[in-house]
Amino acid sequence: MDLDETAARLGVPVEDVERVHRLAGDRPSAPLPAKADAPALLNRLAVPPDDAAEIMEGWPDPGSPLWTPELRWLLDRSIALVSADLSGHGWLPPGPALPRERGPAWRHLYVYAYLALVDVVMKYHRDHGIDESVSWATLADLGRNLAVDRRMGGEGWPVMQSWLTLHARGAIYELGRLQHHRGGATIDLHIPETGPLTPEAVEASLDEARAFFPRHFPDERYTEFACGSWLLDPQLLEYLPEDSNIVRFQRRFELEPYQEPEGQDADVEVLRFVFRTLTTPLDQLPRRTALQRAIIDHLKAGRSWRIRRGRFPM
C-alpha cells in the first residue's frame, strides 16, 4: 500500500492516511451486516428514509464501481482502528474527513464502519449485562446525527463521525433524557435533541445512571457527574427566566474556573446546536424561543459565548 498515492486518490492529507495505517496496523476488521439485513438494522438505528436510501445505494458490494481500492482499504482499516479501542472513552477520529460530494460511498463510509461495529459493541454490552433496550437507544444516535447533518447541509458530519466512535466502543449510554459518558472517575453528561430538559427528566436519568454504572461496570468507581457545554455559560442568566429548564439545569453544577477550550469555538457550537446552521446570517435566524433570541442578541451585541465545565457529586 503506497500511502502517498492512497492519500492523493482519497483527496486527503497523507498524514491522515498515515495515522489510520499506524493505529489500525494489521489488527482485524469486522464484516458489514448482510445487505439483505441492512434495511431492518437502519430502521432500528433510527436512520431517516432519505439517508437509508443513500446508504443502500452506496452499499460496498463486491465489485461495486462506487468503491475504489482506496475506499475499501480505508473502510476496512477504520473498522479495525475503532474496534481495537473497544472500551476506550476518548474522542477517536475514525479516519480523515472525505470529500463527501463524490457520492454515497464517500458520504457514508464511516456509517458503513459504524454498521460493521454494531455486532462488536452489542457483544460488549451483553458481556456487561446491559439490556438491549439501552443498547439500541444508545446506538440509534446514528440516525439522529444523520438527520442533523442533512438539516445542516453536510456541515455537521466531520464532528459527528468522531462522536459516534464513542457509541461504537461502549463509552456512551443513553439513559432516559441524558447520554452518560464513562471514563476516569467522572460520568460526563451529554444532552441529545430529544425533548424538553425538564428537572424531572434530568433527575430520572441521573437516578438511572447511579444504578447503571455500579451494576454493569463494578470495577469502575464514579464519584461525580460533569458536563462541559455552552449551556453552562452563566451569561445565559442575563436572558432566560429563573424557572427555565436550562437555568435549573445550570444550577446543579459547581463551575470550574474558565479555561478557553482547545479546538472549540463556543459561538460555532451554539449555532450548531440551537439553529443547526453555521452559515445563515444572524438576521435570518428564527427568534421563536427565548433561547434563540438570547443567542442572536448576544452575538449581535458583539459578545461571545463560552463553553463552561461544571460538576456535582453522584
Side-chain angles (χ1 to χ4, degrees), residues 188-245:
D188 267 17
L189 303 175
H190 302 280
I191 307 161
E193 192 179 62
T194 56
L197 191 66
T198 65
E200 296 78 14
V202 170
E203 193 60 38
S205 182
L206 297 176
D207 282 344
E208 193 171 349
R210 291 178 179 115
F212 179 89
F213 289 99
R215 180 187 307 125
H216 299 296
F217 298 95
D219 295 334
E220 300 175 1
R221 296 289 182 267
Y222 296 104
T223 60
E224 296 179 307
F225 291 110
C227 184
S229 173
W230 56 270
L231 283 170
L232 299 188
D233 188 343
Q235 295 179 103
L236 284 167
L237 301 176
E238 300 175 29
Y239 302 94
L240 301 179
E242 287 286 321
D243 62 350
S244 77
N245 289 333

Side-chain angles (χ1 to χ4, degrees), residues 33-43 56 59:
K35 187 176 182 180
D37 298 332
L41 177 59
L42 293 171
N43 183 61
M56 295 306 298
W59 195 263

Side-chain angles (χ1 to χ4, degrees), residues 79-227:
I79 296 167
L81 185 160
V82 176
S83 60
D85 195 47
L86 190 66
S87 192
H89 52 78
W91 283 66
L92 181 67
L98 296 173
R100 299 170 72 222
E101 69 280 358
R102 292 190 183 182
W106 298 77
R107 189 154 50 250
H108 295 303
L109 185 141
Y110 297 113
V111 175
Y112 300 117
Y114 189 93
L115 297 178
L117 291 161
V118 166
D119 279 350
V120 174
V121 74
M122 287 293 287
K123 180 182 183 303
Y124 179 83
H125 285 194
R126 287 194 300 273
D127 289 345
H128 286 80
I130 295 166
D131 192 271
E132 278 198 2
S133 62
V134 172
S135 300
W136 289 115
T138 299
L139 295 175
D141 206 25
L142 173 67
R144 184 185 299 137
N145 280 276
L146 285 169
V148 167
D149 183 62
R150 186 173 286 271
R151 283 168 58 190
M152 294 182 68
E155 295 173 331
W157 190 253
V159 172
M160 296 169 188
Q161 70 185 40
S162 297
W163 161 250
L164 289 165
T165 67
L166 297 170
H167 307 60
R169 289 177 291 142
I172 276 186
Y173 298 90
E174 187 159 326
L175 306 172
R177 181 62 185 86
L178 302 173
Q179 293 165 320
H180 298 259
H181 181 179
R182 50 185 275 262
T186 300
I187 298 295
D188 267 17
L189 303 175
H190 302 280
I191 307 161
E193 192 179 62
T194 56
L197 191 66
T198 65
E200 296 78 14
V202 170
E203 193 60 38
S205 182
L206 297 176
D207 282 344
E208 193 171 349
R210 291 178 179 115
F212 179 89
F213 289 99
R215 180 187 307 125
H216 299 296
F217 298 95
D219 295 334
E220 300 175 1
R221 296 289 182 267
Y222 296 104
T223 60
E224 296 179 307
F225 291 110
C227 184

